[in-house]
């Protein structure tokens, strides 16, 4: 699964448990369309739900 400057909010964060594929998220830190709150929530969801991962935040 790949996201390039996509929306990072999750209507149902529990859905993260169902992700079985590798995930690549490319997101610019200065992207004005996604709030810092959404970025932090997305990072937290990944930490909690996705095991065996590599990240570069």
């Amino acid at each position: 699964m790949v996201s390039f400057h996509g929306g990072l909010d999750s209507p149902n964060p529990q859905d993260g448990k169902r992700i079985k594929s590798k995930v690549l998220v490319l997101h610019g830190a200065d992207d004005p369309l996604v709030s810092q709150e959404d970025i932090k929530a997305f990072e937290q969801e990944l930490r909690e739900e996705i095991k065996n991962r590599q990240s570069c935040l």
Side-chain angles (χ1 to χ4, degrees):
M1 176 186 327
V2 177
S3 172
F4 183 76
H5 283 278
L8 300 179
D9 63 327
S10 179
N12 189 2
Q14 295 78 19
D15 286 344
K17 293 179 182 179
R18 300 183 338 185
I19 296 173
K20 303 296 183 210
S21 65
K22 292 183 179 184
V23 177
L24 173 62
V25 178
L26 305 171
H27 182 78
D30 294 331
D31 185 338
L33 299 178
V34 178
S35 70
Q36 288 297 315
E37 181 180 293
D38 283 347
I39 293 170
K40 289 178 183 178
F42 177 76
E43 291 171 355
Q44 185 62 34
E45 183 178 340
L46 288 182
R47 286 186 183 97
E48 292 175 359
E49 305 299 342
I50 299 177
K51 307 301 181 213
N52 192 21
R53 62 176 170 76
Q54 290 182 317
S55 63
C56 179
L57 305 174

